[in-house]
Amino acid sequence: MKTQRLIDMHVHTDNSPDGVHSPMYVCENAVKNNLGAIAFTDHCEVDTYYKDKYNSMVFHSYFECSKARAAFRGQLLVLLGLEIGQPLSVPELADKIVSEKSYDFILGSIHTPKGFGGMDIKEIEYDKIDVYKFMSEYFSELSEIASWKGCDCLSHITAPMRRIEGKYHMNFDYSLIQNDVDNLLKEVIRNGKAIEINTSGLRQPIGKTMPDETLIKRYRELGGTKITVGSDAHTAQDVGKGITDGIKLAKKCGFQKLTFYVKREPIEVEIII
Ligand SMILES: [Zn+2]
Ligand SMILES: [Zn+2]
């Protein structure tokens, strides 16, 4: 009987400001958790690249993760990547960062949306703003990143929901901004990019993946084919968490294949669970 090869395409190490464990220790846990492959995607926030010393963290991430890759060869496929936040805040810098090293996989993210003075999506007081207007602008900012050649996949496209639904307990109805949702998903498809099923929400009060079933189904309906699954682990213990649930959800939404990336080229794996 064939078993599903579990691949976690979003993992942080202690080379991210909020990451806890070394690449070696993360790999050890990944093997223990029966993973076949992981992608290290440490943070790189382009808007505060020098101020917050991402230049040094990105360098060390690549160096340390390469060592872990060599040490675990034959046991675990280790992919080298980055999670680039706000790449279009300084596009020429973002282009330089992703082309400087031989990366396997680049995630594009927004953590500090435009118009909030650098405030993180975790800190915004959603009960004091128009959340529909906010999400409409957030999706439009993400669709610009979808057309940026430097990334392969958009990460956690509904990340603000962690707070909007998980903390402020507001029910968000995507159909009220259906045009914005569709524009984003179509832009992803048109540019040949992937979207990520981020399973970190399953370990948090929101209790569901980002995006959730509604948007994953819509992406499939519109013709989306490339989908990755990532735990967004910031500790070794969380590596691989929720990956099986994410794969099952992809299948439920009509996907027959998952995508992972080697040297920035998409590779498809059949879903067999
Ligand atoms: Zn992120
Ligand atoms: Zn992340």
Side-chain angles (χ1 to χ4, degrees):
M1 202 182 78
K2 281 204 284 182
T3 48
Q4 183 79 51
R5 192 173 191 221
L6 298 178
I7 303 176
D8 187 340
M9 290 301 286
H10 190 154
V11 179
H12 294 274
T13 75
D14 53 2
N15 296 294
S16 287
D18 50 359
V20 178
H21 294 116
S22 69
M24 286 287 201
Y25 187 54
V26 172
C27 286
E28 208 175 289
N29 275 266
V31 171
K32 245 189 248 167
N33 296 348
N34 287 322
L35 293 171
I38 61 168
F40 283 122
T41 52
D42 276 314
H43 286 298
C44 175
E45 301 288 276
V46 173
D47 50 335
T48 60
Y49 186 68
Y50 294 106
K51 181 175 140 293
D52 290 339
K53 302 197 167 51
Y54 282 100
N55 48 343
S56 154
M57 285 187 278
V58 163
F59 172 82
H60 286 287
S61 172
Y62 192 85
F63 185 71
E64 297 297 332
C65 295
S66 299
K67 283 203 284 188
R69 160 145 83 180
F72 282 84
R73 190 157 287 148
Q75 267 188 290
L76 175 74
L77 173 64
V78 176
L79 303 166
L80 304 178
L82 281 177
E83 179 182 4
I84 307 266
Q86 302 75 245
L88 302 180
S89 58
V90 195
E92 54 287 359
L93 176 59
D95 287 338
K96 183 171 165 279
I97 295 162
V98 299
S99 60
E100 250 170 9
K101 299 272 191 296
S102 172
Y103 287 111
D104 292 304
F105 180 57
I106 304 289
L107 282 170
S109 293
I110 300 174
H111 299 121
T112 56
K114 278 182 199 162
F116 286 82
M119 190 186 272
D120 194 282
I121 42 174
K122 287 193 222 101
E123 288 152 15
I124 294 170
E125 295 179 277
Y126 293 100
D127 53 347
K128 302 209 170 97
I129 60 167
D130 176 345
V131 284
Y132 286 93
K133 180 171 174 282
F134 172 80
M135 283 308 291
S136 149
E137 288 165 2
Y138 189 80
F139 284 152
S140 126
E141 200 180 333
L142 269 174
S143 35
E144 286 171 33
I145 299 177
S147 64
W148 175 51
K149 288 201 167 44
C151 75
D152 305 304
C153 175
L154 293 187
S155 180
H156 52 56
I157 60 168
T158 57
M161 290 302 151
R162 241 189 304 225
R163 290 292 186 273
I164 294 173
E165 294 184 342
K167 182 179 172 191
Y168 289 90
H169 308 293
M170 300 176 185
N171 281 325
F172 194 89
D173 180 357
Y174 289 106
S175 71
L176 297 178
I177 53 162
Q178 194 66 49
N179 269 346
D180 303 294
V181 169
D182 287 0
N183 285 343
L184 167 61
L185 299 175
K186 283 179 191 165
E187 198 59 11
V188 169
I189 297 163
R190 199 173 69 77
N191 286 284
K193 301 283 162 76
I195 65 162
E196 168 195 71
I197 298 181
N198 186 300
T199 64
S200 68
L202 298 173
R203 323 187 280 276
Q204 294 167 350
I206 180 178
K208 52 185 178 180
T209 58
M210 296 173 290
D212 64 13
E213 195 175 329
T214 325
L215 264 59
I216 302 167
K217 264 195 187 136
R218 184 64 183 151
Y219 173 58
R220 185 75 195 107
E221 270 168 24
L222 292 170
T225 55
K226 295 193 182 81
I227 195 132
T228 71
V229 184
S231 68
D232 209 347
H234 284 69
T235 66
Q237 288 74 25
D238 280 348
V239 67
K241 283 241 176 105
I243 296 299
T244 305
D245 297 316
I247 298 173
K248 285 182 182 158
L249 180 58
K251 190 173 182 183
K252 187 180 175 198
C253 295
F255 289 87
Q256 256 108 53
K257 287 168 181 167
L258 299 172
T259 303
F260 72 105
Y261 287 78
V262 174
K263 298 271 175 257
R264 312 274 324 266
E265 288 296 328
I267 298 176
E268 291 182 328
V269 207
E270 210 186 321
I271 298 178
I272 53 172
I273 52 174

